[in-house]
Amino acid sequence: MVELHEAGELAAHYPRVRELLAELDDAAVLRAGNLLARLDPQQVLAAHPGTPAPGIAVTGHGTLSALRPALVAQAARHGLLARVELSDFDSWVFDLLTPDSDLYAARPQFALCVLDAEVVAGELPVPWSVADAERVLAAKLALVERAAEVFAQAAPGGTLVLNTLPLPRELTAQLVDLRSRARLGVLWREANVRLLRLPERWSQVVTVDLDPLLAAGLPARDVRQSVYAKAHLSAELLAGYAREVGHLLRQAAGGGKKVLALDLDGTLWGGVLGEVGPEGIEVSEGYRGEAFQRFQKVVRQLAAQGVLPAVVSKNDLEPVLKVLREHPGLAVRDEDFLQVRANWAPKHENLAAIARELNLSVDSVVFVDDSSFERGLVRRELPGVAVVAVGEEPARHVEDLLRDGWFDVRELTAEDRARPERYKEERARQDFLDTFDSLEGYLRELGVSVTLAPAAAEQIPRVSQITLRTNQFNLTTQRLQPADVEALAQSPDAQVLTIASADRFGDNGLVGAVLLRRAGDTVHVDNFLLSCRVFSRGIEQAALATVLADARATGARRVVGRYVPSAKNGKVADFYLRSGFVPVAGRDGEPGDGPGGEQAGPAEAVFEHDLADVPPPPAHIRLTARLRPAPEGNETA
């Protein structure tokens, strides 16, 4: 990277940065951030216009200049280009409580309000008591809560990121009686609890808990930097905080992961199965065996929350299955894995096959292996796969797997928890399909039912998640946070319709969404999304046919749909053409006029349907449709 920077070619080769940062230690990543922070984002975007480039406004208390390179580096690790704007020193109250401030005028996707203990300690009188600290804490919390309220109104499409406040010993030690110290500790922790609960009141708010970072050994501050430079959080803690924010940026850009593909020898257990046999591998006995078992339990914990585990191992299949089924010390079993691929094929080919059979992009995969050769090969052949390095010390496997929050979501839904079981049902569907000579016969016997209905309040997080995590059947790739979806659902001119499906093998749950907007006699399809699990069953045709029929029944003259190409949604480029739409030239109010007000690039395509000939839903679909709240009995099936 240094060579590219010195040659002035770093912007031209920006897509390589993610690979160059892979497996660097934290210090090296931060040094790279100092180089990347010097780049002009516009120069990068001119060379690579498809690069996701979230706008980030940083405000807060204290000197925060060290945060910029850390944020830029962490964004780059995920293939993103962070455009970071730093506010003036200690301007957070004005920035967030004034709706016409420069922060709001910039319309950042993320606003980071970074606070520290000095925001309280700096306003204590001399001498001070616990009562004084309680008063200042209450005042600051009131300001933060007011800031969250103003932000929710002034920036409905953005995310406000707050953080908890580290409690420095220097402050507690000024109280010489232990009872007062304990009381201050209670008040401080109660204040942090209030900060952590703010996302329950405002869905636009995320609070980063700094306690786990401090527990991992990061220093809260460098006292000299705090006193002399007013940098009240250490550079190490800011770097850890930036890593957490990087996870949020990745989620918002649609970079969520679903599949956890694990090597076996040296990763899930110790030793090489083919050399030492089932009795010789380290699974649960001894201190190393206990470390591997701890890792196995975390794999099961992730699977219980919707992660899809798989095995990719260079081994013979039968011995692997025997160990997974019978080894008494193993904390995972073969049924815990969606697929077990133990063979001698290159691992990148196995990973691609897993993604293909699950109807997922390989970008949905996290690959964990202790071999630097295997990791390097996968990075080269499948650059979209997230590669996690684990070393020879199994006690660190859990930390290595979890440190980048690959499977984090804003809110866990029932759909997430049910995902592994539904993919297992999908295998049964595939076996069922193999018994038919034609797709038509299979679909007739599959018994697909589809329900199209307005999004209920409890479905808002799931609809948001679909926009954030669905890449292949996502016609505009517009990403919406829960607050965005809620605003659309409440708008009198918009509709947020959910698509649920089921069949003879089980309930697929909420699998898609259609975002509609009415403007006079025109219905705009601002986005159409469908889970890759249910492609090619006629569900999308049934939903669109229902939308078209309802538009005509309510007096519309046409329906307009948009397609914005991305690296992953090419398979739906002709969806509107296949559905009776025709391409049209841009008209006022059509292109770039989505619910978020974003302007799409010149590659955007616009299509319209004149509603003269509305196709019926596919005959094999049992359809239940209710497109708006209505009195009982006003449903069509």
Side-chain angles (χ1 to χ4, degrees), residues 363-381:
D363 292 5
S364 299
V365 177
V366 176
F367 172 61
V368 186
D369 202 304
D370 66 315
S371 166
S372 59
F373 170 79
E374 299 291 357
R375 296 194 304 265
L377 185 60
V378 168
R379 279 201 184 95
R380 188 187 72 190
E381 299 296 329

Side-chain angles (χ1 to χ4, degrees), residues 21-42:
L21 293 175
E23 293 203 34
L24 292 183
D25 61 26
D26 291 342
V29 169
L30 192 55
R31 288 196 298 272
N34 288 320
L35 295 180
L36 294 169
R38 302 175 194 174
L39 283 176
D40 179 358
Q42 295 308 315

Side-chain angles (χ1 to χ4, degrees), residues 259-263 308-314 339-343 345-369 374-388:
V259 179
L260 175 59
L262 297 163
D263 171 50
L308 306 174
V311 165
V312 177
S313 174
K314 285 190 173 177
Q339 291 197 26
V340 176
R341 288 189 167 265
N343 54 45
K347 290 192 176 182
H348 66 274
E349 293 182 4
N350 278 321
L351 291 172
I354 288 173
R356 185 167 55 250
E357 291 185 16
L358 295 177
N359 209 4
L360 294 170
S361 163
V362 291
D363 292 5
S364 299
V365 177
V366 176
F367 172 61
V368 186
D369 202 304
E374 299 291 357
R375 296 194 304 265
L377 185 60
V378 168
R379 279 201 184 95
R380 188 187 72 190
E381 299 296 329
L382 301 174
V385 170
V387 178
V388 174

Side-chain angles (χ1 to χ4, degrees), residues 40 45 68 97 123 135 179 223 239 267 330 355 503 506 553 627 629:
D40 179 358
L45 291 173
R68 182 198 296 271
L97 269 68
E123 295 194 10
R135 172 180 52 79
R179 190 178 297 273
V223 66
T267 300
L330 204 63
D503 57 41
L627 272 62

Side-chain angles (χ1 to χ4, degrees), residues 478-552:
Q478 183 188 33
R479 313 297 182 181
L480 300 178
Q481 298 298 336
D484 302 320
V485 179
E486 186 175 6
L488 286 174
Q490 294 177 354
S491 170
D493 299 320
Q495 288 177 279
V496 178
L497 301 178
T498 61
I499 304 171
S501 74
D503 57 41
R504 65 185 295 162
F505 291 99
D507 184 0
N508 289 305
L510 201 163
V511 295
V514 186
L515 308 181
L516 304 175
R517 175 172 47 90
R518 185 74 178 247
D521 61 3
T522 300
V523 173
H524 296 266
V525 184
D526 284 325
N527 206 358
F528 196 133
L529 309 106
L530 194 68
S531 169
C532 54
R533 287 189 290 116
V534 294
F535 282 178
S536 304
R537 298 178 193 170
I539 294 172
E540 58 269 39
Q541 289 86 0
L544 185 58
T546 303
V547 167
L548 295 175
D550 181 77
R552 184 168 66 180

